[in-house]
Amino acid sequence: MRLVVASGKGGTGKTLVATSLALMARERAQSLQAPTALLDADVEAPNVALFLRAELEEAVAVERLVPRVDQALCTHCGRCAEVCQFHAIASLPLKTLVFDALCHGCGSCALECPAGAISEEPQPMGQVRFGQAEGLRYGEGELQVGEAMATPVIRALKHEARSRGWDSDALTIIDSPPGTACPVIEALRGADVALLVTEPTPFGLHDLRLAVQVARDVLGLPVAVAINRDDGQDGAVDAYCEAEHLPVLLRLPLAREIASSYSNGEPLVTALPQYRATFAVALDALLALATEARP
Ligand code: SF4
Ligand code: SF4
């Protein structure tokens, strides 16, 4: 089963929630004698390893194939520029140019070139790493500095985890990147349930709406909500969840001790064990929601 922890905006406490859920899931997995895996798919800023003191044992390079044009063979027919959906190749009267930063490595231009003038060159764009953390199977992706496309690294992280047989685990928890763009869709794809973390502010509500549109309305996933830093002052997120029939399965208060444990790099359920039951109940409810939604 795959649970993705996501949020419409950064800074809502997504990693705080994902790490504590994973630690509670580890205990459940011990009794089921089935492992739990945690994947940090926030590849532009992976930080789960800092909280869980991860020990990384192996790394796999992530590359994409970018086109290289043999100008001597190129007839400047323009076919490559026509087929490129990303405007990453331009055919000019005297030269055909490739803009590496825009290229998604889809291979269409090489396939379509009638002159056979395009070859493909592997270009590093990041890494995925695997190991263990606090008794969990742990994987993370990291996008190389200067690279713009996180999606292939997230896809590689999920693919490598699957090829290690981690999909047959009792549970895989994925800490998604924030937002609602392509990297988030890649993190959510194939999930059994999504937990959307938000905060009770107008910004939090605005971005929660967008995240619900992506996870529930576009991808068709069962969705639940976690409200972090709840000071009881703003009921708009609760009202929205009620109107949309979205269960609020986790609620954390605005509390200095929580902020302090986070800034010290300690998982919440380790630093403040009084929250263990809150996370255990939320985990059970999430698994039940995913099970109910299964065809
Ligand atoms: S499709 Fe091939 S021959 Fe045509 S412009 Fe592109 S590289 Fe040149
Ligand atoms: S590989 Fe795909 S994205 Fe890159 S230039 Fe060719 S057609 Fe465009």
Side-chain angles (χ1 to χ4, degrees):
M1 186 172 290
R2 216 184 260 174
L3 157 61
V4 178
V5 182
S7 65
K9 72 188 270 295
T12 54
K14 182 173 53 59
T15 300
L16 177 148
V17 169
T19 47
S20 282
L21 274 178
L23 289 176
M24 297 315 294
R26 176 196 62 185
E27 293 181 18
R28 157 195 286 273
Q30 277 162 356
S31 63
L32 293 175
Q33 298 192 323
T36 297
L38 175 60
L39 302 180
D40 188 349
D42 193 355
V43 300
E44 289 183 59
N47 63 351
V48 168
L50 298 174
F51 289 91
L52 298 184
R53 319 285 185 264
E55 291 166 27
L56 298 165
E57 288 143 14
E58 58 170 314
V60 180
V62 182
E63 297 174 330
R64 74 193 146 115
L65 293 173
V66 292
R68 291 292 170 252
V69 179
D70 184 337
Q71 303 292 341
L73 294 178
C74 177
T75 59
H76 310 287
C77 67
R79 180 69 188 140
C80 52
E82 268 171 36
V83 297
C84 182
Q85 304 278 305
F86 305 101
H87 308 293
I89 191 161
S91 175
L92 306 178
L94 296 178
K95 197 167 186 188
T96 296
L97 303 173
V98 177
F99 305 104
D100 288 1
L102 299 179
C103 174
H104 284 230
C106 70
S108 301
C109 53
L111 207 64
E112 290 283 328
C113 174
I118 301 180
S119 57
E120 293 175 299
E121 183 180 274
Q123 205 172 71
M125 59 183 311
Q127 249 191 8
V128 292
R129 298 183 280 263
F130 295 92
Q132 63 87 31
E134 306 266 1
L136 296 157
R137 288 171 159 180
Y138 175 70
E140 65 178 21
E142 186 168 27
L143 190 65
Q144 189 167 288
V145 173
E147 274 292 334
M149 279 177 293
T151 306
V153 180
I154 298 169
R155 194 178 301 131
L157 176 65
K158 291 167 70 178
H159 171 78
E160 290 288 336
R162 227 176 8 251
S163 70
R164 285 162 175 72
W166 291 12
D167 254 18
S168 55
D169 293 354
L171 179 64
T172 297
I173 295 177
I174 298 178
D175 185 10
S176 159
T180 48
C182 298
V184 181
I185 291 173
E186 182 57 43
L188 286 165
R189 202 190 301 274
D192 293 289
V193 61
L195 178 64
L196 304 179
V197 184
T198 190
E199 58 189 17
T201 64
F203 284 131
L205 175 57
H206 175 268
D207 293 339
L208 174 64
R209 286 180 196 273
L210 296 178
V212 170
Q213 279 171 18
V214 169
R216 184 189 67 182
D217 303 342
V218 176
L219 296 173
L221 301 177
V223 164
V225 174
I227 303 179
N228 188 24
R229 294 194 282 271
D230 188 6
D231 60 1
Q233 301 293 308
D234 185 335
V237 168
D238 278 295
Y240 166 74
C241 291
E242 197 179 330
E244 292 288 328
H245 308 293
L246 295 167
V248 178
L249 297 185
L250 184 69
R251 189 183 297 273
L252 296 171
L254 178 67
R256 176 183 283 269
E257 57 185 6
I258 296 180
S260 173
S261 72
Y262 190 78
S263 61
N264 289 334
E266 293 173 295
L268 180 56
V269 294
T270 308
L272 301 168
Q274 62 268 37
Y275 287 102
R276 286 168 51 85
T278 306
F279 277 89
V281 169
L283 180 64
D284 283 344
L286 283 162
L287 296 180
L289 188 62
T291 307
E292 276 167 26
R294 278 191 164 172

